Amino acid sequence: MDQILTKLMPRAWWHWPISVILWSVIDSLVVIAIEFLILGGGSNKFTEHFWISMTTSTPLVTIALVLIARGERLRRDAMRLARTDSLTGLLNRGAFMARLEKQTNGVLFMLDLDHFKDVNDGFGHPVGDEVLRGMADRMRHLVRATDIVGRLGGEEFAIFVADIDTDSAEQLGARLSEGVRHEEAYSGTAINVTSSVGLLQANGGLDTKRMLSEADKALYVAKASGRARAVWGGDDSSVELWLPPQVSA
């Protein structure tokens, strides 16, 4: 039903009069058919039925279309909110996982902001929220519009970049590990929050949960190795530690 309503919904101003005219034509044909079946013939010509139908149904059809259009917008908004993290505007965990399942070749990046609790404790949660939004904006800026960016929860984020080579992935990992810089509004204090990043090469052979698990292991190796760095993950016995060079924003 939702798909039918979506296809029938007027999308431009000139669709509305066409909808009214089509409805009037259908209404007129139905009335003529009923008169023919019951009375054995129509009392009025088609044109007379059409203009009567136009006069009487136009307000009702217009109101109905307005209500359907409003309902469709509300439905789309509800679906968007169900997929979106309310704080950052990124995909939420469920939506990110659903998109990830459809991917094949690429690199999965998992990142966690370093010492983020200190920001909340030292400056308050509103400032912490601003830092999270700033990191989300930076992530969107660093990747393509077609790449998948999500907030998995708290200060943990994930990105999937399709068809990216190793060198480019490491360069992106370096920039992501720099984290985000936020200036506190009241005191003007500059808050620099780095991030630890786990990278995983995906070739279509791992399921999504396994991918997240392997990238998460690499992320925690980066945490344990001093933070503000990226680590390649995959095979537990040969995790490659990689400390990115300082890259300007």
Side-chain angles (χ1 to χ4, degrees):
M1 180 59 70
D2 289 341
Q3 295 178 350
I4 294 175
L5 290 177
T6 300
K7 292 181 179 179
L8 294 179
M9 271 305 305
R11 291 178 174 80
W13 68 267
W14 52 272
H15 291 167
W16 292 79
I18 290 177
S19 299
V20 173
I21 292 172
L22 288 175
W23 172 258
S24 299
V25 169
I26 294 171
D27 181 62
S28 300
L29 292 175
V30 170
V31 171
I32 291 174
I34 292 174
E35 288 183 348
F36 182 82
L37 292 174
I38 296 178
L39 303 177
S43 59
N44 295 314
K45 297 179 180 179
F46 173 79
T47 54
E48 294 174 346
H49 279 296
F50 176 77
W51 290 113
I52 292 172
S53 180
M54 281 282 289
T55 303
T56 57
S57 66
T58 295
L60 296 176
V61 173
T62 301
I63 292 173
L65 289 174
V66 169
L67 293 175
I68 293 174
R70 179 175 176 79
E72 178 64 15
R73 283 196 299 271
L74 292 174
R75 186 183 71 86
R76 289 198 300 267
D77 290 343
M79 291 180 63
R80 178 179 57 81
L81 291 173
R83 298 190 300 264
T84 304
D85 173 62
S86 59
L87 178 64
T88 63
L90 300 177
L91 295 175
N92 60 27
R93 186 183 186 91
F96 182 86
M97 293 289 287
R99 292 278 300 276
L100 184 62
E101 289 177 352
K102 301 176 183 178
Q103 306 305 312
T104 52
N105 298 328
V107 173
L108 174 65
F109 300 78
M110 283 190 67
L111 54 149
D112 187 272
L113 296 183
D114 298 325
H115 303 295
F116 182 72
K117 184 176 182 298
D118 294 343
V119 177
N120 282 333
D121 293 344
F123 297 93
H125 287 275
V127 174
D129 289 346
E130 290 296 325
V131 170
L132 292 174
R133 280 191 283 264
M135 188 62 196
D137 291 340
R138 177 166 170 77
M139 292 166 63
R140 276 188 288 252
H141 175 72
L142 290 175
V143 301
R144 302 164 297 188
T146 54
D147 296 325
I148 309 171
V149 186
R151 182 187 178 200
L152 302 185
E155 61 271 25
E156 190 173 56
F157 300 88
I159 301 174
F160 186 85
V161 181
D163 301 321
I164 183 173
D165 58 73
T166 301
D167 289 341
S168 298
E170 291 185 351
Q171 291 175 18
L172 177 55
R175 298 180 73 85
L176 290 171
S177 70
E178 292 179 342
V180 62
R181 183 182 187 277
H182 174 74
E183 186 171 308
E184 204 273 323
Y186 295 103
S187 65
T189 302
I191 304 171
N192 295 296
V193 183
T194 61
S195 66
S196 299
V197 186
L199 296 80
L200 180 71
Q201 183 73 48
N203 297 311
L206 296 176
D207 61 53
T208 54
K209 292 183 179 179
R210 174 86 182 277
M211 288 171 63
L212 288 179
S213 176
E214 295 295 333
D216 196 51
K217 290 176 184 177
L219 166 63
Y220 278 97
V221 171
K223 288 279 189 186
S225 303
R227 298 180 170 83
R229 63 194 64 204
V231 169
W232 279 105
D235 184 354
D236 291 346
S237 63
S238 59
V239 174
E240 178 186 357
L241 179 64
W242 175 67
L243 178 63
Q246 292 298 317
V247 179
S248 58

